[in-house]
């Protein structure tokens, strides 16, 4: 038993010591020139380039620079001039200054920072890099470039393992075909997918898209938008609970609570599924589809199973199919299909059409209604083949007129005259002024003209080959009081907008696949479980600088950060090009080897592969 305990203690101590060693693994370096200056940098080596740059390695990361200050005991270094940091074969970063804490694997870079992976690159002024989390963070403004777009934001966070950028303010994606702006956005550099989580717009020459939650494929140019989403075209606005957009084909579709507004013709189409083909100037809409057009302060409603609107803004055509219903304040109708051409004001009702105008019912094989396109008032109507007009008598019975064709005239949107031609027949209840029935008149003639006042028949004129009989009521039995083809459909009459959908089942909205908000991430500078400070006490930064904020106030954003600290005399440093901080400026006398040594430090220690 005692041996087992000893073995357990040995294993525990070995594991602890191995973990401790791994956590404190030292930074290795190579340098052609190593200098010590205890007065200015106690406990540090000053490393500098002669021909080859200073080289650091630590836990899968490599860093090259022109000069460096290395605190070996603290496992920390500062790198200056042409800094290049490489992690594996995926991430490369260059800058003018960088520092790295080997104990926490936390890095900071400033001065023309450029980070690159196989799919994208990032440019910024200052960058924090946490290798433990495999995340980078900037708050001084950054530019990301991939194969399709350029992204800019004030604040950004990059997740290396997911190849994801998270932007939280002032996000702008610029593409040759559009500009995307958002208040919060996630971008995946491998796929080019962007997820928008706040008010966002995508603006191009042809359209403007708005949403408060959405997805856009920046390489495939397709998108999916939810929450207050809309697409504005030149003369149409598409709105719905969810929108799909394909820029390649100029196609958009919408689902649930759809509204398509024609901004030129002041008309609206509603439904629960719509498709818009911009190149063809067409809209297809179904599922409780209804088109609403404003005429003379009176809206005209057209409902059908399917509606299609085609044509340019100055020549729109509305087509409705299957169970079409029409309603306006003084007229309603039904047919199998409808064709409306706004430019000419012609409405064609096809397939068992019926029109109700006040207490008049008109039927036939085909009905045409003609609007005055200037005044937007009803002008005339035509009924082709089997024209039949029925007016319900105020005291019972039905006045009837029929013929092969019928032509009607309107005044002030009210039927004022009707002409019937070819094989006409009438059945009319004759009454005196008090309203007493005189008799029932049945007449045959070649043609008939009827005049109306306040929707009531006031005069009837018969032309050619008139053959009529006035029957006393008792001499004309009820079964003889209907002309052939009589079909009263008054119970189908639409009396309100709600009747457009009468007898139709309530629509069950299609479930929308939403875009959930991302899980709330811990702060980039969140304190770690081991309570270690991310920064070394020799860092250029202060602990208070480690916070996420809207504006970067670091001193590191100033010009001084793009130059190394004065490892050599300030006068000589001012003459030294930034791109090579150890070479003498051209045009000056080259110092002797001894002068080179003295100008840097009295102590020069050649060194390679130190740790």
């Amino acid at each position: 038993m005692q041996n087992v305990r000893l073995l357990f203690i040995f294993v525990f101590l070995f594991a602890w010591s191995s973990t401790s060693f791994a956590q404190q693994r030292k930074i290795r370096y190579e340098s052609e020139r190593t200098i010590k200056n205890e007065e200015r940098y106690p406990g540090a080596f000053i490393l500098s380039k002669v021909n080859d740059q200073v080289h650091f390695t630590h836990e899968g990361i490599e860093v090259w620079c022109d000069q460096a200050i290395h605190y070996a005991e603290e496992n920390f270094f500062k790198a200056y001039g042409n800094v290049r940091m490489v992690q594996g074969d995926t991430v490369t970063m260059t800058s003018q200054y960088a520092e790295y804490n080997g104990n926490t694997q936390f890095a900071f870079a400033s001065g023309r920072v450029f980070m690159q992976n196989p799919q994208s690159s990032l440019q910024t002024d200052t960058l924090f890099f946490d290798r433990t989390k495999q995340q980078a963070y900037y708050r001084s403004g950054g530019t990301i470039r991939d194969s399709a777009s350029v992204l800019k934001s004030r604040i950004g966070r990059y997740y290396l393992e997911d190849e994801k950028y998270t932007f939280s303010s002032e996000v702008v994606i610029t593409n040759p075909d559009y500009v995307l702006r958002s208040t919060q956005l996630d971008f995946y550099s491998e796929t080019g997918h962007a997820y928008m989580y706040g008010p966002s717009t995508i603006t191009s020459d042809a359209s403007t898209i708005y949403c408060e939650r959405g997805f856009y494929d920046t390489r495939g140019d397709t998108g999916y938008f939810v929450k207050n989403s809309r697409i504005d075209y030149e003369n149409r606005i598409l709105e719905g609970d969810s929108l799909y957009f394909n820029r390649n084909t100029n196609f958009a579709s919408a689902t649930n609570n759809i509204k398509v507004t024609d901004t030129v013709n002041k008309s609206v189409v509603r439904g629960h599924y719509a498709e818009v083909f911009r190149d063809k100037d067409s809209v297809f809409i179904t599922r409780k589809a209804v088109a609403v057009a404003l005429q003379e302060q009176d809206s005209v409603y057209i409902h059908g199973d399917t509606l299609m609107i085609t044509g340019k803004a100055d020549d729109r055509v509305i087509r409705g199919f299957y169970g079409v219903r029409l309603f306006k304040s003084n007229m309603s109708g039904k047919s199998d299909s409808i064709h409306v051409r706004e430019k000419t004001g012609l409405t064609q009702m096809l397939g068992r059409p019926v029109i109700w105008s006040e207490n008049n019912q008109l039927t036939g094989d085909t009905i045409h209604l003609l609007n005055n396109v200037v005044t937007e008032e009803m002008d005339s109507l035509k009924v082709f083949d089997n024209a039949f007009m029925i007016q319900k008598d105020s005291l019972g019975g039905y006045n009837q007129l029929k013929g092969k064709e019928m032509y009607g005239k309107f005044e002030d949107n009210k039927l004022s005259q009707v002409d019937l031609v070819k094989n006409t027949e009438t059945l009319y209840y004759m009454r005196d002024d008090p309203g007493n029935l005189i008799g029932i008149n049945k007449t045959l003639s070649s043609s008939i003209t009827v005049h109306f006042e306040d929707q009531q028949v006031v005069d009837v004129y018969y032309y050619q080959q008139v053959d009529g009989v006035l029957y006393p009521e008792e001499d004309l039995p009820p079964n003889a009081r209907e002309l052939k083809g009589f079909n009263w459909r008054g119970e189908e009459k639409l009396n309100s907008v709600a009747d457009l959908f009468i007898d139709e089942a309530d629509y069950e909205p299609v479930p929308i696949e939403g875009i959930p908000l991302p899980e709330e991430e811990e702060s980039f500078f969140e304190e770690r479980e081991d309570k270690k400070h991310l920064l070394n006490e020799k860092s250029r930064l202060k602990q208070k600088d480690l916070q996420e904020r809207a504006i970067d106030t670091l001193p590191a954003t100033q010009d001084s950060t793009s130059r190394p600290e004065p490892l050599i005399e300030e006068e000589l440093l001012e003459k030294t090009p930034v791109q090579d901080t150890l070479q003498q400026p051209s045009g000056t006398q080259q110092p002797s080897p001894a002068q080179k040594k003295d100008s840097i430090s009295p102590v020069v220690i050649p060194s390679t592969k130190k740790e």
Side-chain angles (χ1 to χ4, degrees), residues 288-544:
K288 295 279 187 178
V290 59
V292 187
L294 183 65
Q295 292 183 354
E296 191 64 20
Q297 305 303 316
D298 185 10
S299 295
V300 179
Y301 298 82
I302 298 175
H303 163 60
D305 177 80
T306 301
L307 297 179
M308 292 182 63
I309 299 92
T310 58
K312 299 293 183 181
D314 59 352
D315 192 13
R316 294 275 196 247
V317 175
I318 301 174
R319 295 178 176 87
F321 306 96
Y322 315 116
V324 172
R325 298 176 183 181
L326 177 148
F327 177 82
K328 61 181 300 187
S329 62
N330 59 354
M331 180 183 290
S332 62
K334 297 175 71 174
S335 62
D336 292 338
S337 62
I338 196 169
H339 183 286
V340 182
R341 187 168 186 178
E342 295 180 348
K343 186 175 183 179
T344 61
L346 176 63
T347 297
Q348 302 176 65
M349 301 179 69
L350 311 170
R352 297 184 69 248
V354 56
I355 289 288
W356 295 278
S357 177
E358 297 295 340
N359 60 341
N360 299 305
Q361 174 185 292
L362 293 82
T363 59
D365 291 355
T366 302
I367 296 178
H368 287 187
L369 300 173
L370 189 63
N371 265 24
N372 186 312
V373 295
V374 177
T375 65
E376 295 184 340
E377 292 184 342
M378 289 294 298
D379 178 82
S380 58
L381 67 82
K382 298 178 181 179
V383 182
F384 299 97
D385 297 321
N386 300 309
F388 208 121
M389 179 175 178
I390 304 174
Q391 184 185 72
K392 193 170 185 178
D393 184 65
S394 59
L395 299 177
Y398 298 91
N399 297 319
Q400 303 160 51
L401 301 90
K402 64 174 292 187
K404 181 175 177 56
E405 296 177 358
M406 181 189 301
Y407 303 92
K409 288 285 187 179
F410 289 84
E411 290 183 6
D412 297 327
N413 281 320
K414 295 180 179 180
L415 195 61
S416 62
Q417 178 180 325
V418 166
D419 296 304
L420 289 98
V421 298
K422 299 179 183 179
N423 305 321
T424 64
E425 297 181 57
T426 65
L427 187 149
Y428 184 70
Y429 286 73
M430 304 288 291
R431 298 183 183 277
D432 59 19
D433 289 341
N436 300 314
L437 182 64
I438 299 172
I440 302 173
N441 183 285
K442 292 185 71 174
T443 303
L444 300 176
S445 67
S446 297
S447 62
I448 302 172
T449 297
V450 182
H451 293 276
F452 298 84
E453 286 184 7
D454 296 326
Q455 304 298 310
Q456 298 298 321
V457 175
V458 292
D459 289 305
V460 180
Y461 297 94
Y462 300 94
Y463 302 96
Q464 298 179 6
Q465 302 176 359
V466 177
D467 182 8
V469 178
L470 179 62
Y471 295 93
E473 182 181 11
E474 62 274 11
D475 291 346
L476 192 66
N479 60 0
R481 296 178 188 181
E482 295 179 357
L483 299 178
K484 186 178 180 180
F486 176 89
N487 181 17
W488 176 248
R489 299 170 61 184
E491 70 281 356
E492 301 177 41
K493 182 181 177 182
L494 283 68
N495 298 301
S496 66
V497 175
D499 288 345
L500 290 167
F501 307 101
I502 198 168
D503 298 330
E504 292 188 10
D506 292 337
Y507 176 75
E508 292 292 335
V510 175
I512 299 297
E513 183 177 350
I515 299 175
L517 288 171
E519 295 182 4
E520 187 173 348
E521 295 278 352
E522 65 178 11
S523 168
F524 179 82
F525 299 110
E526 192 80 19
E527 187 178 64
R528 296 182 181 177
E529 293 181 359
D530 57 14
K531 304 297 183 181
K532 286 184 178 179
H533 289 306
L534 297 175
L535 300 175
N536 183 277
E537 62 179 10
K538 304 293 194 308
S539 170
R540 174 172 294 177
L541 306 179
K542 304 299 181 183
Q543 196 65 31
K544 65 180 181 179

Side-chain angles (χ1 to χ4, degrees), residues 93-212:
M93 184 184 74
T94 60
S95 62
Q96 287 303 303
Y97 170 80
E99 59 182 53
Y100 179 72
N101 186 342
N103 294 334
T104 60
Q105 298 192 34
F106 188 82
F108 168 75
S110 65
R112 301 196 295 275
V113 181
F114 183 82
M115 176 181 279
Q116 187 173 27
N117 64 28
Q119 284 77 34
S120 64
S121 65
L122 163 65
Q123 287 178 280
T124 184
D125 187 62
T126 57
L127 185 72
F128 302 89
F129 182 24
D130 190 329
R131 294 190 61 221
T132 301
K133 294 181 178 179
Q134 285 295 287
Q135 296 177 20
Y137 172 80
Y138 65 85
R139 62 189 184 209
S140 55
T143 300
I144 293 89
R145 289 179 170 83
D146 80 335
S147 60
S149 309
V150 177
L151 297 83
K152 293 185 178 181
S153 71
R154 169 58 53 185
I155 301 171
R157 189 168 175 177
Y158 178 51
Y159 298 78
L160 277 72
E161 293 178 351
D162 297 330
E163 297 189 37
K164 178 183 79 170
Y165 291 93
T166 295
F167 309 105
S168 57
S169 68
E170 303 176 33
V171 189
V172 180
I173 299 180
T174 303
N175 181 282
D177 297 324
Y178 62 86
V179 175
L180 188 158
R181 300 178 185 274
S182 181
T183 56
Q184 183 179 350
L185 182 144
D186 285 353
F187 179 77
Y188 291 83
S189 60
E190 183 177 11
T191 60
H193 292 173
Y195 292 85
M196 297 159 279
Y197 300 110
S200 307
T201 59
I202 305 174
T203 306
S204 69
D205 293 338
S207 63
T208 298
I209 300 169
Y210 174 84
C211 73
E212 294 175 11

Side-chain angles (χ1 to χ4, degrees), residues 25-160:
R25 188 167 181 178
K26 294 298 184 181
I27 297 170
R28 295 170 59 88
Y29 72 88
E30 294 178 294
S31 176
E32 294 177 326
R33 178 173 292 154
T34 303
I35 306 165
K36 227 175 176 359
N37 188 331
E38 286 293 329
E39 182 179 349
R40 293 187 60 184
Y41 305 106
F45 288 112
I46 303 172
L47 313 176
S48 66
K49 163 187 173 182
V50 178
N51 294 310
D52 296 326
Q53 287 188 298
V54 178
H55 180 211
F56 292 98
T57 59
H58 184 255
E59 297 288 329
I61 194 171
E62 296 185 79
V63 180
W64 291 264
C65 61
D66 292 344
Q67 297 180 355
I69 303 174
H70 181 215
Y71 296 88
E73 291 300 320
E74 300 179 47
N75 217 22
F76 172 75
F77 68 80
K78 298 179 179 181
Y80 304 88
N82 301 310
V83 180
R84 181 165 62 98
M85 184 179 293
V86 176
Q87 178 178 275
D89 57 356
T90 57
V91 177
T92 300
M93 184 184 74
T94 60
S95 62
Q96 287 303 303
Y97 170 80
E99 59 182 53
Y100 179 72
N101 186 342
N103 294 334
T104 60
Q105 298 192 34
F106 188 82
F108 168 75
S110 65
R112 301 196 295 275
V113 181
F114 183 82
M115 176 181 279
Q116 187 173 27
N117 64 28
Q119 284 77 34
S120 64
S121 65
L122 163 65
Q123 287 178 280
T124 184
D125 187 62
T126 57
L127 185 72
F128 302 89
F129 182 24
D130 190 329
R131 294 190 61 221
T132 301
K133 294 181 178 179
Q134 285 295 287
Q135 296 177 20
Y137 172 80
Y138 65 85
R139 62 189 184 209
S140 55
T143 300
I144 293 89
R145 289 179 170 83
D146 80 335
S147 60
S149 309
V150 177
L151 297 83
K152 293 185 178 181
S153 71
R154 169 58 53 185
I155 301 171
R157 189 168 175 177
Y158 178 51
Y159 298 78
L160 277 72

Side-chain angles (χ1 to χ4, degrees), residues 11-23:
V11 171
F12 174 81
L13 291 174
F14 177 80
W16 179 84
S17 61
S18 298
T19 303
S20 177
F21 175 77
Q23 289 176 344

